[in-house]
Amino acid sequence: MSKKLIIYHGSHNIVETPTFGKGNPNNDYGLGFYCTEYLNLAQEWACDQIAGGYAGKYELDTSGLKILNLNGKEYSIIHWISVLLKNRKVTLSSDIESAAMYYILDNFP
């Protein structure tokens, strides 16, 4: 059974075909093609203080996909932080900061 999800992507450019790997490697989740279910959020992402942009609308067939929903009842904010820590470059200035980061990564995958 096919399940469709409408998603939006904000960009300075019109993106006809989403392509993985062309994003900013320093974004929260790496080079992914960032999308949202909320048009107004995509519009916000598309613009900065200098220029406007575009919000593209896409239909994603999710049948056969395993989707990680960090808003699900089995997850907490610490799981979301763990995902960010796996993908962000962080500077840790103390042993306690390093220990905390590895604790989160080891216990909240």
Side-chain angles (χ1 to χ4, degrees):
M1 182 169 107
S2 176
K3 184 177 178 189
K4 304 290 184 188
L5 178 66
I6 301 298
I7 54 176
Y8 303 92
H9 171 79
S11 175
H12 289 290
N13 305 304
I14 295 174
V15 179
E16 295 287 338
T17 304
T19 304
F20 176 79
K22 293 189 175 183
N24 181 345
N26 295 318
N27 281 345
D28 289 342
Y29 304 105
L31 291 171
F33 188 77
Y34 289 70
C35 296
T36 177
E37 294 180 63
Y38 304 101
L39 175 59
N40 61 336
L41 185 55
Q43 291 169 330
E44 183 181 319
W45 292 344
C47 302
D48 59 26
Q49 294 177 351
I50 299 170
Y54 304 91
K57 179 179 178 182
Y58 306 92
E59 184 176 291
L60 178 65
D61 181 355
T62 63
S63 54
L65 295 179
K66 183 177 179 182
I67 297 174
L68 172 62
N69 179 2
L70 290 173
N71 291 322
K73 63 182 177 181
E74 68 273 26
Y75 297 105
S76 68
I77 190 71
I78 202 85
H79 290 95
W80 177 75
I81 292 170
S82 176
V83 173
L84 291 177
L85 285 172
K86 286 180 187 173
N87 292 287
R88 278 194 181 172
K89 293 180 182 178
V90 296
T91 302
L92 304 172
S93 58
S94 72
D95 291 342
I96 191 93
E97 290 174 352
S98 295
M101 183 184 78
Y102 288 112
Y103 177 83
I104 291 170
L105 292 173
D106 290 344
N107 292 285
F108 299 91

